[in-house]
Amino acid sequence: MPDDEIILSELNDGDLVEQMHDDLYDGLKEEIEEGVRILLERGWEPYRILTEALVEGMRIVGIDFRDGILFVPEVLKSANAMKGGMFILRPLLAETGAPRAGKMVIGTVKGDIHDIGKNLVTMMMEGAGFEVIDLGINNPVENYLAALEEHEPDILGMSALLTTTMPYMKVVIDTMKEKGIRDDYMVMVGGAPLNEEFAKAVGADAYCSDAAITVETAKELMKRRHNLRADEAGAA
Ligand code: B1M
């Protein structure tokens, strides 16, 4: 073993998390998986590992990608390492045994292949007791419509990470309107370049800035929908 090799298990929590940011940057999947396991053994909550070690590390990768220091092949390796860590955390985040809170169909829009954020949202929603049907990436409007018909969810979620693909959300919502099914679902949208204003402009019910807020918002919308239906039933 070379003298300068870092033994992850010998680092204190702070140094380990920093080392994981570096390892994510370098796309070292096995090291990320080991780091996640060590933090779990030390009693860290899965959600804390996700946010402080993985999401924060990916934020740093994003800055250097933007600034032309990292390029697509390197960022793909980082994404792969991140997915390795997420794979370990996924069942733990879903392990709440909560009753079914609702059903959501989610997918990244046409032309867009970013899926890390969407996968995180899926994990957190499942953890909160939602059934989630994940359509994956690069979804044309037909995929969304077919999934709505097949799965009859309460919520349609759409993700977009590019300013060039985010307008496609309006195509999906407008098509739902044309078909007279828009109001049958709650539409939630998210992705780094979006904001509240955009969500309103495309006709979505809610903008979600991160996975935890997505869960809160979904619960809130489900409650509202439930109350509305109870009122309608009472009035009938
Ligand atoms: Co891309 N990329 N990328 N990329 N990439 C960004 C988005 C970019 C901001 C980088 C930059 O310049 N700083 C930039 C977009 C610029 C713009 O549009 N203004 C960009 C670009 C330009 C590109 C390419 C065009 C590069 C090229 O080829 N020249 C290309 C496009 C490919 C395509 O999609 N057609 C491209 C490719 C790639 C990779 C394939 C290399 C890889 C994706 C791998 C993968 O996803 N499997 C990649 C990555 C990894 C990134 C960055 C670095 C990280 C994205 C990420 O995973 N973030 C990203 C920079 C950045 O965003 N900082 C960047 C971590 C994730 C946890 O956060 O996705 O925001 P996020 O998700 C959050 C919230 O947004 C929210 O909750 C999530 C969890 O908290 N959320 C939702 C997301 N979706 C939601 C849906 C919901 C609710 C909440 O529904 C209800």
Side-chain angles (χ1 to χ4, degrees), residues 169-170 173-174 177 182-183 185 187 189 197-206:
M169 292 175 169
K170 185 163 173 5
I173 294 174
D174 285 351
K177 283 182 189 160
R182 166 64 185 88
D183 293 338
Y185 309 96
V187 180
V189 294
E197 219 178 16
F198 172 82
K200 235 181 239 163
V202 296
D205 294 303

Side-chain angles (χ1 to χ4, degrees), residues 105-163:
V105 160
I106 190 168
T108 302
V109 297
K110 186 176 168 183
D112 201 320
I113 62 167
H114 294 85
D115 68 354
I116 295 176
K118 169 188 65 60
N119 295 347
L120 263 180
V121 168
T122 299
M123 282 165 53
M124 296 289 293
M125 287 288 283
E126 284 175 345
F130 283 82
E131 181 183 349
V132 183
I133 296 105
D134 184 349
L135 305 180
I137 55 174
N138 193 20
N139 283 287
V141 61
E142 294 78 15
N143 288 9
Y144 290 108
L145 295 180
L148 293 178
E149 199 178 328
E150 182 184 348
H151 301 288
E152 299 181 340
D154 305 289
I155 300 168
L156 171 64
M158 287 188 278
S159 180
L161 264 287
L162 300 170
T163 44

